[in-house]
Amino acid sequence: MQTGTDYMAQATNAVIAPFNWLGGLFVAFIRELGAIAIFFTHAFCLIFSLPLQVNKTIQQIFFIGAKSILIILLVGLFTGMVLGLQGYYTLVKFGSEGVLGAAVALSLIRELGPVMTAIMIIARAGSSMAAEIGIMRISEQIDALDTMDINPIRFLVSPRIVASLISFPLLTAIFNVIGIIGGYLSGVCLLGINSGIYFYRIESNVLMQDISGGFVKSLVFGIIVSTICCYQGYFTHMRPGGFGAKGVSLATTSAVVLSCVLVLIVDYVLTSFLL
Amino acid sequence: MTAPLIELKNVTKRFGNHTVLDRLNLTVFEGDITTIIGKSGGGKSVLLKHIIGLLRPDEGDILINNKRFKEMTRKEQTQFKRQTSYMFQNNALFDSLTVFENIALPLREKTRMREDAIKSKVMAKIDQMELSHEVIHKYPSQISGGMQKRVALARALITEPKIIFFDEPTTGLDPLRKNAVLGMISHYQKKIGFTALLVSHDIPDVFFISNRVAIIDNGRIIFQGKPIELEQSENPVVHDFIRGQINLKDDLTGLNTKQEVMDLLNQEMDRANRLQANFPVIMFTIDNMTQINKHVGYITAQRIVQCLSTLLKEHFGAAGTSARFSQNEILMVLPHTDIKEAEKDLNELAVDLQKQEIFQAKSYPKACLSFSVSAGLSETKQGTDTDSLIGQALSNQKIIAHVECIKQGETA
Amino acid sequence: MKKYSMETTVGIFVFIGLLCVGYLTVKLGKMELIGGDNYTLYARFDSVSGLRPDSSVEIAGVEIGRIGKISLDSERYMALVMLKIRKGIQITDDAIASVKTSGMIGDKFIKITPGGSDSILEPGGTIVETESAVDLEELISEYIFGGM
């Protein structure tokens, strides 16, 4: 009898185990999201606590925004040029290469601008945000702030969120414009589309709705990237299995991966709402 | 004695299954330098972090001015926090800010002082800490470990706190700087009058500056009281602990430890009593230590101690066993000599000492200071005890080497 | 000084960014900086299939305005189109509004053919004479029979 019940229990366990694992994973994920949301709310409210941290925010805009201009210009230009080439060879099959301008501009403004900009900033500034805050955590600098009665979230995270909210839309706009110029270079200068038609098509097909939708996306991405990268760095010491430098490297990796994935998922969700 | 400022009652903290603090009791009095010593990993830093609220106890209470910390309102907690400073074991300087910005940060963030007022205050602190003005625009990683410590100390002192916590302030420093930092802490504590709580394992150097000592072992306080009480403690656990932790030689001077010398003294006095053979002891004192600290720096002050001890070893060699008795006192026991010989050696030492560069007034062209070294001989007699022997030596003290203040221009 | 250069860089960055935002919103998005340089007319069509808000309104191939809201007139089951015409361009009450296509499969726009009447339409007025969107089939047959 004993073996009978044992056998039953084992069988039940085998059935339950995967659900158990899945449930555990899901609960952990939701918990993490909740913690990130609380972290963001905290940091966001502290943006408005007086005195405003103007200098620190400018420093962060310098770091997140101004220093990213070159890479954004480069990536934007080539994205636009590739779009021009690809678009041309696809459209020429239908004899409608005239709408190339619209194709390039719409794909840039609606999708590629915000997403590519976000991914470039994650790679450039997001990773260093996570690493910098992570190192401050493990070398007790965050504790030091705490002992000086300086709120570390206000001091470290809030300026970065504000700077991201300012930098993301601006960089996205720069990316869009330079991308349109890139499309012009390959479409008009290389492949010989009429330049007037190129811009005419852009102007007649791009709606305010597209542009504002693109900016809404870039604002949301700004919040996601800055919050997740700061969060990962801030709680470096809570990571299981990684201490010290190892912990910082893990935090940086997961900050980059998580924010890239979330940017793409949220992009899909936003697009389906905005369209 | 004043009322207890901070009291820990039955504080317990566990990390997982590991109990770090086990029903720990500790009292810190206002205006004292209290030192917590213990083995590394014994929960000393954890204890400090509990008091400033970085960690919360699983059980037990922390009382501040007789008020439970967890029952204090947020405002009261903030107010307590503003009166404290914390010096971290690895300094925790902000490595993306310059030295100047690091020291100025607490003022910039927490006060409404004007920028030029902040600047003059920071520069004054930098001067006090003997940091050169070239350092201020460097980043913490560009300066030496000793300088980093001083910057951290400056940052801790800049807000003029009432309580300062020092988490291993001397770790990783050479013996000279170690004693200089301790001297600095003691000096400012006397001057400003803050309450200091130190965590350290620099025994015995740290005893010289402490008013109270607490020993933490296996998460509990096994002793707390004055350093003298510690030395006289009969508790075998405490005794073993001190024996185990203490270095065989004093790092700074290369002299024997105080405990050893006191043991030797007791032993020799017993022997002397039995054999009726008297022997001398000499007590050296460096006077005006505060003035040296103030005018030429903590490191120079420690160098004088070092110089004196080197000469002691040269002149007395194996005949004498000596130890640092306190910050500015050295006790020497000469068990196999008589007082005549000791006096002769002492005179030779005096001549030699005065010749040292460090005792030449022109070594200190910028400062006007006077200090001296005194020595006092006394001999054991039938029935005297150690205390009266040392007391007598102190009262017999005569100046053996001195530096007089010279006004600039007179000698040049 | 280092600080100066950082702030300058930020300034340049923000300036360039705002310039790009301005180009996108004003030039491409046709954002009306000051709302007052248009007036509104209405026109009813049997069919406006293919016409989108914000398409252009032209006279003789020159853009004179944009299309606003497109709604259904539920009484007559006709499309009611709001036309935002640039101020200073006067439309007479006998003008004809027709839905046209640019190119073979291009965008739809509204072409206004001016009339000869003396009375000018007030803002909020309605263009009575309209021509609906041309069927592609119709267009092809016209092409085949050489009507174009």
Side-chain angles (χ1 to χ4, degrees):
Chain A
M1 285 314 284
Q2 188 71 35
T3 52
T5 45
D6 270 6
Y7 182 74
M8 279 294 285
Q10 246 174 34
T12 338
N13 266 342
V15 175
I16 288 174
F19 289 102
N20 206 356
W21 174 78
L22 189 68
L25 218 63
F26 186 71
V27 168
F29 177 68
I30 294 292
R31 198 168 279 168
E32 181 89 351
L33 278 190
I36 292 175
I38 291 170
F39 182 74
F40 169 71
T41 320
H42 203 150
F44 192 77
C45 294
L46 287 170
I47 291 173
F48 306 104
S49 71
L50 293 172
L52 296 175
Q53 309 180 84
V54 180
N55 265 331
K56 246 169 276 147
T57 309
I58 290 179
Q59 264 171 28
Q60 288 303 325
I61 295 177
F62 173 70
F63 181 71
I64 297 170
K67 281 193 159 181
S68 302
I69 284 190
L70 265 186
I71 188 88
I72 287 295
L73 287 180
L74 204 68
V75 173
L77 188 70
F78 280 97
T79 308
M81 283 169 73
V82 154
L83 277 178
L85 278 181
Q86 291 279 18
Y88 179 80
Y89 287 114
T90 313
L91 289 170
V92 84
K93 286 183 190 159
F94 304 100
S96 46
E97 64 270 20
V99 292
L100 181 71
V104 170
L106 281 179
S107 33
L108 278 173
I109 289 168
R110 283 192 186 169
E111 270 313 313
L112 289 172
V115 173
M116 293 286 283
T117 308
I119 287 175
M120 294 319 298
I121 303 182
I122 291 169
R124 224 199 64 81
S127 54
S128 67
M129 261 189 245
E132 192 185 338
I133 297 180
I135 287 172
M136 290 188 78
R137 169 60 82 186
I138 60 159
S139 61
E140 293 182 312
Q141 294 174 42
I142 291 180
D143 288 341
L145 284 174
D146 227 337
T147 61
M148 291 177 200
D149 195 36
I150 298 170
N151 189 326
I153 294 186
R154 175 174 180 268
F155 187 80
L156 295 172
V157 183
S158 301
R160 284 176 168 82
I161 287 182
V162 178
S164 298
L165 282 175
I166 292 170
S167 299
F168 269 65
L170 292 181
L171 286 173
T172 304
I174 294 174
F175 187 95
N176 289 342
V177 170
I178 200 77
I180 289 170
I181 293 171
Y184 179 86
L185 284 182
S186 61
V188 178
C189 300
L190 229 63
L191 300 166
I193 297 174
N194 183 306
S195 85
I197 295 266
Y198 183 83
F199 283 111
Y200 167 73
R201 285 295 178 189
I202 294 177
E203 282 179 34
S204 61
N205 280 289
V206 176
L207 304 181
M208 193 60 207
Q209 208 185 326
D210 299 321
I211 291 167
S212 56
F215 282 133
V216 168
K217 276 183 182 177
S218 69
L219 284 174
V220 174
F221 293 163
I223 289 174
I224 290 176
V225 171
S226 54
T227 309
I228 288 188
C229 292
C230 291
Y231 175 86
Q232 294 291 344
Y234 197 82
F235 291 106
T236 304
H237 62 307
M238 303 279 209
R239 300 187 74 80
F243 296 99
K246 184 90 183 152
V248 176
S249 86
L250 284 178
T252 312
T253 311
S254 65
V256 170
V257 172
L258 195 62
S259 37
C260 281
V261 169
L262 263 183
V263 159
L264 293 172
I265 292 174
V266 169
D267 181 47
Y268 176 79
V269 175
L270 275 181
T271 308
S272 61
F273 274 117
L274 286 171
L275 278 184
Chain B
M1 195 167 280
T2 43
L5 182 65
I6 302 168
E7 242 181 312
L8 275 73
K9 282 189 176 160
N10 292 320
V11 169
T12 302
K13 179 76 183 178
R14 294 182 197 90
F15 289 125
N17 292 326
H18 180 55
T19 307
V20 183
L21 303 181
D22 183 15
R23 280 163 290 148
L24 179 141
N25 291 294
L26 177 71
T27 317
V28 177
F29 294 97
E30 196 168 349
D32 272 1
I33 296 183
T34 305
T35 304
I36 303 168
I37 53 178
K39 294 185 187 116
S40 43
K44 290 172 290 177
S45 300
V46 174
L47 176 62
L48 274 198
K49 284 181 182 170
H50 272 89
I51 301 175
I52 48 166
L54 278 180
L55 292 171
R56 299 199 179 252
D58 295 336
E59 285 159 34
D61 283 318
I62 295 167
L63 277 77
I64 287 149
N65 285 327
N66 281 323
K67 208 159 183 191
R68 284 200 176 89
F69 189 74
K70 49 187 174 189
E71 285 168 12
M72 278 159 75
T73 60
R74 188 170 264 264
K75 205 175 160 193
E76 284 173 319
Q77 288 187 3
T78 316
Q79 208 161 24
F80 172 67
K81 241 184 189 176
R82 290 225 176 148
Q83 292 173 356
T84 62
S85 269
Y86 194 105
M87 200 171 139
F88 283 82
Q89 190 170 350
N90 46 16
N91 303 333
L93 293 173
F94 302 110
D95 38 24
S96 54
L97 302 180
T98 62
V99 166
F100 180 88
E101 288 167 331
N102 258 291
I103 302 174
L105 186 77
L107 294 179
R108 280 190 180 153
E109 289 294 319
K110 282 293 147 195
T111 61
R112 291 188 175 277
M113 276 170 79
R114 293 220 332 235
E115 193 57 38
D116 48 343
I118 289 178
K119 184 160 186 196
S120 65
K121 206 168 168 187
V122 171
M123 292 315 285
K125 264 286 169 298
I126 283 172
D127 288 341
Q128 269 182 1
M129 292 293 145
E130 299 165 34
L131 289 159
S132 70
H133 285 215
E134 296 142 36
V135 161
I136 59 171
H137 292 300
K138 288 188 173 163
Y139 289 89
S141 55
Q142 295 173 310
I143 60 176
S144 70
M147 283 190 193
Q148 287 181 10
K149 277 274 180 248
R150 276 181 278 164
V151 173
L153 186 57
R155 189 178 69 179
L157 288 171
I158 194 90
T159 50
E160 290 157 14
K162 292 222 172 76
I163 310 163
I164 307 185
F165 302 95
F166 297 92
D167 191 353
E168 311 237 349
T170 52
T171 313
L173 296 180
D174 60 70
L176 202 64
R177 296 220 153 67
K178 201 176 269 186
N179 280 279
V181 167
L182 290 177
M184 213 162 0
I185 292 173
S186 152
H187 174 75
Y188 282 113
Q189 196 271 336
K190 283 191 193 100
K191 201 167 140 193
I192 305 170
F194 53 80
T195 308
L197 189 57
L198 262 93
V199 158
S200 181
H201 47 228
D202 279 318
I203 311 169
D205 306 62
V206 77
F207 289 163
F208 300 141
I209 66 163
S210 314
N211 303 103
R212 273 174 73 82
V213 177
I215 300 174
I216 182 170
D217 192 32
N218 288 325
R220 311 188 78 153
I221 297 284
I222 54 171
F223 171 86
Q224 53 179 323
K226 295 206 172 78
I228 293 179
E229 289 166 19
L230 177 67
E231 275 157 19
Q232 288 158 357
S233 169
E234 300 291 324
N235 186 337
V237 187
V238 174
H239 230 72
D240 285 353
F241 184 86
I242 294 298
R243 283 288 150 107
Q245 287 291 303
I246 217 156
N247 296 324
L248 285 177
K249 298 266 179 197
D250 191 46
D251 278 340
L252 176 71
T253 53
L255 301 178
N256 298 71
T257 60
K258 188 176 175 185
Q259 193 70 39
E260 271 179 326
V261 171
M262 291 309 279
D263 284 354
L264 178 79
L265 185 59
N266 282 322
Q267 197 184 321
E268 287 298 325
M269 280 178 75
D270 276 357
R271 206 176 60 101
N273 276 343
R274 271 187 284 115
L275 302 177
Q276 310 259 332
N278 296 335
F279 66 91
V281 297
I282 312 176
M283 188 67 143
F284 296 92
T285 310
I286 299 167
D287 309 303
N288 253 339
M289 197 80 160
T290 20
Q291 230 192 23
I292 307 171
N293 280 339
K294 201 168 140 198
H295 288 297
V296 290
Y298 299 91
I299 292 180
T300 314
Q302 299 304 323
R303 269 214 186 99
I304 293 168
V305 178
Q306 214 174 20
C307 170
L308 177 61
S309 14
T310 318
L311 282 179
L312 280 184
K313 267 183 288 177
E314 271 174 29
H315 279 266
F316 292 89
T321 310
S322 40
R324 258 186 111 176
F325 199 71
S326 74
Q327 258 208 312
N328 59 343
E329 287 172 321
I330 292 177
L331 174 69
M332 180 172 239
V333 182
L334 298 147
H336 302 291
T337 37
D338 60 26
I339 193 153
K340 291 269 160 52
E341 210 173 322
E343 213 168 329
K344 202 181 99 216
D345 281 343
L346 188 60
N347 288 335
E348 279 171 25
L349 172 81
V351 174
D352 213 1
L353 197 61
Q354 189 68 62
K355 280 185 203 153
Q356 296 294 315
E357 198 187 350
I358 212 156
F359 287 94
Q360 304 303 315
K362 57 175 175 285
S363 306
Y364 314 101
K366 281 186 196 147
C368 167
L369 83 164
S370 335
F371 65 90
S372 54
V373 178
S374 318
L377 259 166
S378 74
E379 196 174 24
T380 51
K381 287 196 190 76
Q382 287 298 316
T384 48
D385 58 355
T386 47
D387 282 349
S388 62
L389 188 66
I390 291 166
Q392 209 195 341
L394 278 171
S395 63
N396 284 348
Q397 273 186 342
K398 284 176 296 194
I399 291 173
I400 59 165
H402 63 96
V403 172
E404 283 301 322
C405 165
I406 38 163
K407 295 240 164 55
Q408 263 177 7
E410 268 179 33
T411 46
Chain C
M1 288 295 282
K2 199 166 169 261
K3 202 176 172 191
Y4 174 74
S5 107
M6 182 198 81
E7 272 152 13
T8 317
T9 323
V10 171
I12 292 170
F13 161 64
V14 172
F15 179 72
I16 296 176
L18 285 179
L19 223 63
C20 293
V21 171
Y23 171 73
L24 288 173
T25 49
V26 177
K27 192 85 168 54
L28 300 189
K30 293 81 155 181
M31 195 175 74
E32 289 142 17
L33 282 183
I34 302 138
D37 59 351
N38 286 332
Y39 70 98
T40 324
L41 291 180
Y42 291 94
R44 283 198 185 79
F45 293 93
D46 288 331
S47 164
V48 289
S49 91
L51 196 69
R52 298 256 160 254
D54 232 27
S55 302
S56 57
V57 179
E58 294 177 359
I59 293 179
V62 178
E63 188 178 305
I64 56 146
R66 297 243 152 204
I67 289 171
K69 248 190 348 210
I70 299 176
S71 52
L72 184 69
D73 182 345
S74 49
E75 276 173 34
R76 297 180 226 187
Y77 291 102
M78 287 173 89
L80 183 63
V81 178
M82 184 204 239
L83 307 174
K84 290 188 279 186
I85 309 290
R86 218 181 295 151
K87 270 197 180 138
I89 291 171
Q90 296 172 332
I91 312 276
T92 53
D93 62 353
D94 61 347
I96 306 165
S98 39
V99 180
K100 292 284 181 189
T101 312
S102 65
M104 278 274 280
I105 49 167
D107 308 317
K108 294 275 198 300
F109 66 96
I110 286 185
K111 182 190 167 193
I112 293 178
T113 317
S117 161
D118 286 339
S119 57
I120 308 295
L121 281 172
E122 291 293 310
T126 308
I127 299 173
V128 186
E129 284 188 67
T130 60
E131 271 180 335
S132 290
V134 184
D135 236 320
L136 196 58
E137 264 176 71
E138 205 180 317
L139 201 75
I140 291 168
S141 62
E142 261 183 69
Y143 178 69
I144 292 170
F145 299 115
M148 256 178 112

